[in-house]
Amino acid sequence: MSVKIISKTCTGPVNIAVIKYWGKRDEKLILPINASLSGTLDQQQLRAKTTVAASAGFTKDRMWLNGQEQSLDNPRLQNVLKEIRRRARKRKSGCEDDLDMLTWRVHICSENNFPTAAGLASSAAGLACLVFSLSKLFNVDGDISDIARQGSGSACRSVYGGFVEWEMGKEKDGSDSVARQVASENHWPEMRVLILVVSADKKHVGSTAGMQTSVKTSPLLKHRAEKIVPERMQAMIEAIQKKDFESFADLTMKDSNQFHSVCLDTYPPISYMTDISHKIVRMVHAINAHFKKSVLAYTFDAGPNACLYLLEDHVPLVLGFINHFFPYDVNNEQYIRGLLSEPQKPEQKLLNDIPINPQPVGALQYIIHTKVGPGPQLLEEEHSLLDVSGMPTSLINA
Amino acid sequence: MSVKIISKTCTGPVNIAVIKYWGKRDEKLILPINASLSGTLDQQQLRAKTTVAASAGFTKDRMWLNGQEQSLDNPRLQNVLKEIRRRARKRKSGCEDDLDMLTWRVHICSENNFPTAAGLASSAAGLACLVFSLSKLFNVDGDISDIARQGSGSACRSVYGGFVEWEMGKEKDGSDSVARQVASENHWPEMRVLILVVSADKKHVGSTAGMQTSVKTSPLLKHRAEKIVPERMQAMIEAIQKKDFESFADLTMKDSNQFHSVCLDTYPPISYMTDISHKIVRMVHAINAHFKKSVLAYTFDAGPNACLYLLEDHVPLVLGFINHFFPYDVNNEQYIRGLLSEPQKPEQKLLNDIPINPQPVGALQYIIHTKVGPGPQLLEEEHSLLDVSGMPTSLINA
């Protein structure tokens, strides 16, 4: 006789901050020293996919990430599981069958459709997806962003689509440090995103350790968090509500620069951007100078990859510029991935105005073309990553 | 009958700031938004050399720099000439012969023994040397740092040897924005300097334009200048007076980082450091981690070259580390220039502890080994760069 297994499978999106989160005021609850704001990216191009299953027949909690079993000992994951169960119990909703389910062990299986730890916010997508999946499994309603936050700070912004604010909050227990949708994915449908993957190397300093050191050592970070970000958040929300791309772009670029500025003011200093990252920055400013307004915005997370926000109309020409300054191996059919768009070669005299030398082939690995998209999605059972016995359908033998 | 020519020939030193100057409150008078402090480097390795001559027979003011004639129209040079003449007249000292001399035209010939505009503070050495030479020519006594300041801000620190403070000053006319010797070159004779020349490329943004943009656009610069630098100046002066190398090193590195941090917070952002610069930073922190204290300090000016301050005892081992991580072409006999010191190869297990990959040959162009030295020097007539007719003894035909 087989023991019943209940499971849910969901996908969760990546988000790319335009006002950056850097620094915690509470390490355990993951409470930030300033508010932040991001665009949620479409899951067609980048997503985590997670199946969570519970069964009286499981003997222990287990987790598989990208085909390899991982420990669940991580205190952040434990906090997430505890908090989901606590909330399910509190609501007395239990699961669809039985309150007993809250005592069952869980199996978690998750995979990304993009490389992890490459500065593409994989943990945010993964944790948001996990928390969303668990909330479906245990029938937890309402805002779950604070649970995702405890799994991986910026994951809280990935529980909603469109443009999402992570409120700093004031309470010691973190109850008001939650995500809030500023505008849905339908508000500004022309918004596009190009991710320029510079390198998939491991970071020299992880973001958790990096932001701890910044909080301890950077005299500029405190000033940024207290004085500068509050004003920028307000201006950014207004720019998004008004669909004012120029203000959106300038604020995005200034805030990315200031985040990396604070990393450099950290002791020892942290440098995530590389020479290629800085060449992309110069290209973007040169393109904007040509248009006499900001039509393109860069932002860099804790890694060298550039994320460019722009409107649909400018995609072909911007891809043309990128192809000129960062030429690709013509044998690389996978150079531009995601949404289709034909690069438009810029006129020569326009290129001559831009004082940057084209880089050698290979400076960029590839480009992902995507857009702003919805929050996590519940999938049909047929998409499950776990089989009828609760084991992964595909495993990488280590 | 030949017309009399009076001339003086002097040398002037480079200085390398350990608390950085970045931002003017008065563009014309060159008044800074914060105080700064530097070490003056020995002129055996790096110096400007200038001959100034005055004669009733000269028909116009002329200047030759590194063998090529240059315009003297530059308003900063005009200010320097005007101010020197004004001061000479005021003191009624005139020249040794005749007050008439103040109406005579001047010929100026100057050359550096190192590449200009390579981020090696050539303008500071050049202007300090020019002002010192003119002061000798016109018998101007007393502090001349404010005149040098009007020629090129940080040049004021090159008019003294040892460790030199440039006081910010408060007066509108700049009369209190002068250089002051904190300690002479004999105070801390063990201090050594290694300059790692990463690249002699032209800067992407000159420092005059760069600091203007920073003052206009960086919200962090204002905070730095008002709140952070005053405390650091005090701590740095104390560290030098006490010969406390660890404090000196930590403050030097933190202030270099913060200067580059503010450059990145500028809009559009300015990035002077390259990937190689950041690798040097990591190497220095790794070496200090090995010694469990700061034995080595980096500082970067508006360019990618690293300037390392360290004590004499550590030079051989540090050169050994540098040779390991930044290997040189064995055919390059000029790789380490200046003071003699035999690199000491670090033990393999020590190298294994440092998580940096050795760079390809050529990452560094060369290394200059020097020390803290005296202020400008007056030379004998035989060293003149102008001949008996007041024309350069050697000219490059353009």
Side-chain angles (χ1 to χ4, degrees), chain A residues 262-321:
Chain A
V262 160
C263 287
L264 213 48
D265 188 50
T266 299
Y267 193 72
I270 304 168
S271 48
Y272 290 124
M273 295 171 72
T274 64
D275 288 353
I276 299 294
S277 311
H278 287 293
K279 290 215 163 73
I280 294 169
V281 165
R282 286 178 210 171
M283 177 188 73
V284 170
H285 284 290
I287 292 172
N288 288 338
H290 164 71
F291 281 102
K292 295 190 174 60
K293 62 178 183 180
S294 293
V295 300
L296 185 60
Y298 54 76
T299 184
F300 294 82
D301 279 336
N305 299 337
C307 182
L308 308 183
Y309 278 94
L310 72 169
L311 298 179
E312 191 178 12
D313 285 353
H314 292 111
V315 170
L317 191 59
V318 166
L319 283 175
F321 275 110

Side-chain angles (χ1 to χ4, degrees), chain B residues 151-326:
Chain B
S152 173
S154 57
C156 72
R157 295 187 313 241
S158 276
V159 304
Y160 297 111
F163 292 93
V164 182
E165 171 185 14
W166 174 8
E167 292 173 349
M168 176 183 161
K170 286 174 180 167
E171 300 299 330
K172 278 210 153 179
D173 65 0
S175 52
D176 57 350
S177 187
V178 295
R180 182 181 77 84
Q181 190 178 61
V182 168
S184 89
E185 62 276 19
N186 302 316
H187 168 68
W188 206 348
E190 305 85 1
M191 188 66 90
R192 292 292 176 276
V193 172
L194 297 172
I195 299 171
L196 278 47
V197 179
V198 170
S199 160
D201 283 358
K202 280 258 176 182
K203 301 175 191 177
H204 84 105
V205 182
S207 42
T208 300
M211 66 177 82
Q212 276 175 0
T213 315
S214 292
V215 168
K216 272 191 214 138
T217 64
S218 168
L220 299 181
L221 176 55
K222 196 170 144 50
H223 182 70
R224 160 178 167 71
E226 287 174 7
K227 306 285 179 194
I228 300 172
V229 173
E231 279 177 34
R232 283 194 177 162
M233 282 295 294
Q234 221 176 332
M236 181 60 93
I237 290 170
E238 203 179 300
I240 291 168
Q241 284 167 343
K242 289 183 179 169
K243 298 202 258 183
D244 170 358
F245 187 83
E246 275 196 76
S247 300
F248 171 84
D250 287 334
L251 285 164
T252 296
M253 292 188 275
K254 285 179 182 175
D255 208 68
S256 173
N257 294 336
Q258 191 167 83
F259 155 48
H260 292 278
S261 163
V262 159
C263 286
L264 213 47
D265 188 51
T266 300
Y267 194 72
I270 303 168
S271 48
Y272 289 124
M273 293 169 75
T274 65
D275 288 352
I276 298 296
S277 311
H278 288 293
K279 291 214 162 74
I280 295 168
V281 165
R282 287 179 210 169
M283 178 189 72
V284 170
H285 284 289
I287 291 172
N288 288 337
H290 164 73
F291 281 101
K292 294 190 173 61
K293 63 178 184 179
S294 293
V295 300
L296 186 58
Y298 54 77
T299 185
F300 293 84
D301 279 334
N305 299 337
C307 182
L308 308 183
Y309 278 94
L310 72 170
L311 297 180
E312 191 178 10
D313 284 352
H314 291 111
V315 170
L317 191 59
V318 166
L319 283 175
F321 275 110
I322 296 171
N323 282 354
H324 176 79
F325 292 110
F326 300 94

